[in-house]
Amino acid sequence: KDHSFHFGDNMKLFIKISAIGLVVIILGVLAFLFTLDVNQYKPALIEAVSDKTGREFNIVGDIEISPSLTPAIILTGISLGNVPGSSDANMLEVGRIEARVSLIPLFSGAIHVNEFILHDTNINLEKDSTGNGNWIFEDASSTVDAEADSGDNSLPPITVEKIEIRNARFAYRDQAAETSSEFEIQ
């Protein structure tokens, strides 16, 4: 028998083992995504956005993850409150947000959003009688305890490849100038 080293045979074996390992990793990630209850993070997310903006933030629907090689994070019934004295209760209302992310960059601590889609969106921008815009947020989080600020709470790097807006209404009002305009995107 020939017991000599055959580079081609060993390379084929290496490729087969690597392919099996990759499939096992992908199946493990998909199993994790299928069993992960992301709604456990919903109250903390609502509180964090409310604290950071100084406005009431809400997510009416469940947070969902659609597992795939580019999983989607889906939120429904999102609203961000307006400043007192505004003509609309909410500055922002979104029927559904979908964010498709790449898995590989997550392993290095980066977030790459392939697609960010807003469905059924209402954006109400308004200046009050003194000229202050409702899009300027108070940093309500500056009143948080110093010990909470001592940790590194920064977000990892985020890149967004594509933003799509479907069925949106934009309204602008200027109370001092007594003007308003509105337009829609279908």
Side-chain angles (χ1 to χ4, degrees):
K1 290 187 173 187
D2 182 16
H3 293 288
S4 62
F5 178 75
H6 293 286
F7 182 75
D9 291 340
N10 288 331
M11 185 55 94
K12 288 178 186 176
L13 179 62
F14 174 75
I15 290 172
K16 286 180 184 178
I17 291 172
S18 297
I20 291 170
L22 183 61
V23 168
V24 168
I25 290 171
I26 290 171
L27 290 175
V29 168
L30 289 175
F32 173 75
L33 291 175
F34 273 117
T35 59
L36 178 66
D37 178 19
V38 291
N39 282 297
Q40 67 182 330
Y41 304 109
K42 184 175 159 180
L45 176 62
I46 291 170
E47 182 179 351
V49 173
S50 294
D51 287 348
K52 192 67 178 169
T53 62
R55 313 261 180 95
E56 184 179 338
F57 177 73
N58 200 8
I59 303 170
V60 176
D62 287 337
I63 300 173
E64 302 172 35
I65 292 184
S66 173
S68 73
L69 292 178
T70 55
I73 300 167
I74 302 166
L75 295 93
T76 55
I78 299 100
S79 64
L80 179 64
N82 219 335
V83 294
S86 295
S87 54
D88 293 294
N90 291 317
M91 178 185 158
L92 173 70
E93 296 171 344
V94 182
R96 178 180 168 104
I97 294 176
E98 295 176 46
R100 293 210 167 272
V101 297
S102 296
L103 289 177
I104 304 278
L106 292 175
F107 293 116
S108 65
I111 299 173
H112 180 84
V113 180
N114 296 341
E115 216 175 6
F116 188 81
I117 305 171
L118 298 170
H119 298 267
D120 304 322
T121 304
N122 285 318
I123 300 173
N124 300 301
L125 300 177
E126 190 167 352
K127 279 187 176 180
D128 64 16
S129 57
T130 61
N132 295 319
N134 67 343
W135 55 87
I136 299 173
F137 296 96
E138 299 173 18
D139 188 3
S141 65
S142 63
T143 60
V144 177
D145 295 336
E147 61 191 52
D149 289 337
S150 63
D152 183 17
N153 295 334
S154 61
L155 289 172
I158 299 173
T159 57
V160 179
E161 193 171 315
K162 177 183 173 185
I163 297 175
E164 189 173 329
I165 300 173
R166 299 178 183 169
N167 192 26
R169 182 188 138 278
F170 295 87
Y172 174 77
R173 291 177 190 82
D174 187 334
Q175 291 180 4
E178 297 181 4
T179 60
S180 65
S181 59
E182 192 173 304
F183 69 93
E184 293 185 13
I185 297 174
Q186 295 296 320

